[in-house]
C-alpha cells in the first residue's frame, strides 16, 4: 500500500465515523491502528465519542428528573386549583393569570379577568389605609394575609380569606 493510501484511508474512515455520529447513526469508536498523527487524531476522536455518550446519558437523566419535577408541580397546581382562588398580578395589580375557581367565584370569565386590575373586585368596604398597609407589607417582600370583601360581576359580595405572596427577584426587589 502506498503512502497516500496509508494516510487517506484512515482519514476517510475517521471522516465517515464523524458523519455517522453527527447524523446520530453511530456511537462506536473508530479503529485505526496507527501510531502517527492520524492515530493520535483517532484516539482523540474516540475520547470525544466516549465523553459525548457520557454527556448524553447525564442529559437524559437530568431531563427525566426535570420531567418528574414538572409532573409533580402540575399535580400540585391541579390540587391547588381545585381548592383555592389563584391569581397572579404584575406590580400594578393587573391580573396576568386567573384560575377557574377565581372565575367561578367572581362571576367573570378568565378572559375578562386577565388584563384587568384587581380593583374591578373592590367592594368599597375597606378603607384606603387597609390597601396602603397591604402594599406596604408586599413591597417589603412580606406575605399579606387578611379577609377581603369583594364584589362579583353580578354585584353580589363575597368574602375571601386572602393570602398574597410577593415573589422577590434576584435583585431583592418584589417582582
Amino acid at each position: 500500500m502506498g503512502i497516500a493510501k496509508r494516510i487517506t484511508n484512515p482519514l476517510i474512515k475517521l471522516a465517515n465515523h464523524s458523519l455517522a455520529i453527527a447524523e446520530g447513526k453511530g456511537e462506536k469508536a473508530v479503529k485505526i491502528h496507527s501510531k502517527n498523527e492520524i492515530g493520535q487524531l483517532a484516539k482523540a476522536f474516540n475520547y470525544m465519542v466516549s465523553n459525548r455518550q457520557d454527556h448524553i446519558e447525564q442529559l437524559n437523566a437530568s431531563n427525566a428528573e426535570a420531567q418528574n419535577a414538572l409532573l409533580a408541580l402540575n399535580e400540585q397546581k391541579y390540587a391547588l386549583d381545585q381548592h383555592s382562588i389563584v391569581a397572579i398580578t404584575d406590580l400594578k395589580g393587573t391580573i396576568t393569570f386567573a384560575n377557574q375557581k377565581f372565575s367561578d367565584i367572581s362571576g367573570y370569565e378568565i378572559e375578562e379577568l386577565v388584563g384587568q386590575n384587581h380593583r374591578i373586585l373592590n367592594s368599597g368596604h375597606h378603607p384606603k389605609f387597609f390597601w396602603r398597609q397591604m402594599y406596604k407589607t408586599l413591597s417589603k417582600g412580606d406575605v399579606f394575609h387578611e379577609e377581603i370583601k369583594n364584589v362579583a360581576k353580578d354585584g353580589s359580595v363575597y368574602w375571601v380569606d386572602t393570602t398574597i405572596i410577593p415573589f422577590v427577584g434576584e435583585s431583592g426587589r418584589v417582582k
Side-chain angles (χ1 to χ4, degrees), residues 3 14 24 30 32-33 37 45 50 52 59 64 66-67 106 108 113 119 123 126 137-138 140-141 151-152 173-175:
I3 193 158
L14 190 57
V30 65
I32 296 175
H33 304 289
E37 292 86 354
F45 176 84
S50 174
R52 181 178 182 269
L59 184 60
Q67 290 298 320
S106 70
Y108 289 95
L113 291 165
R119 285 189 290 268
S123 66
H126 303 282
T137 300
L138 296 172
K140 291 190 299 185
V151 62
R173 296 176 53 136
V174 174
K175 59 179 186 166

Side-chain angles (χ1 to χ4, degrees), residues 106-125:
S106 70
Y108 289 95
E109 295 297 323
I110 292 173
E111 296 78 20
E112 292 177 289
L113 291 165
V114 173
Q116 292 294 324
N117 190 284
H118 256 283
R119 285 189 290 268
I120 66 169
L121 305 170
N122 190 340
S123 66
H125 173 79

Side-chain angles (χ1 to χ4, degrees), residues 85-99 102 113-121 134-135 138 162-167 174-175:
I85 295 172
V86 178
I88 299 174
T89 67
D90 64 14
L91 289 173
K92 295 178 182 175
T94 302
I95 300 167
T96 59
F97 170 84
N99 71 350
F102 188 2
L113 291 165
V114 173
Q116 292 294 324
N117 190 284
H118 256 283
R119 285 189 290 268
I120 66 169
L121 305 170
M134 179 190 76
Y135 282 110
L138 296 172
T162 302
T163 301
I164 303 173
I165 303 161
F167 292 108
V174 174
K175 59 179 186 166

Side-chain angles (χ1 to χ4, degrees), residues 51-152:
N51 277 352
R52 181 178 182 269
Q53 189 59 37
D54 290 345
H55 290 308
I56 287 171
E57 289 170 10
Q58 290 172 359
L59 184 60
N60 288 339
S62 294
N63 188 38
E65 189 177 314
Q67 290 298 320
N68 288 337
L70 184 59
L71 178 62
L73 282 173
N74 283 333
E75 289 170 346
Q76 291 173 17
K77 180 186 178 303
Y78 176 78
L80 184 63
D81 282 343
Q82 301 313 302
H83 175 72
S84 301
I85 295 172
V86 178
I88 299 174
T89 67
D90 64 14
L91 289 173
K92 295 178 182 175
T94 302
I95 300 167
T96 59
F97 170 84
N99 71 350
Q100 188 60 50
K101 186 69 88 177
F102 188 2
S103 172
D104 294 344
I105 290 173
S106 70
Y108 289 95
E109 295 297 323
I110 292 173
E111 296 78 20
E112 292 177 289
L113 291 165
V114 173
Q116 292 294 324
N117 190 284
H118 256 283
R119 285 189 290 268
I120 66 169
L121 305 170
N122 190 340
S123 66
H125 173 79
H126 303 282
K128 288 184 182 191
F129 174 77
F130 176 86
W131 300 113
R132 279 196 300 270
Q133 285 301 108
M134 179 190 76
Y135 282 110
K136 184 177 178 182
T137 300
L138 296 172
S139 67
K140 291 190 299 185
D142 294 336
V143 174
F144 174 82
H145 182 89
E146 288 289 338
E147 286 189 351
I148 296 178
K149 184 178 182 181
N150 285 337
V151 62

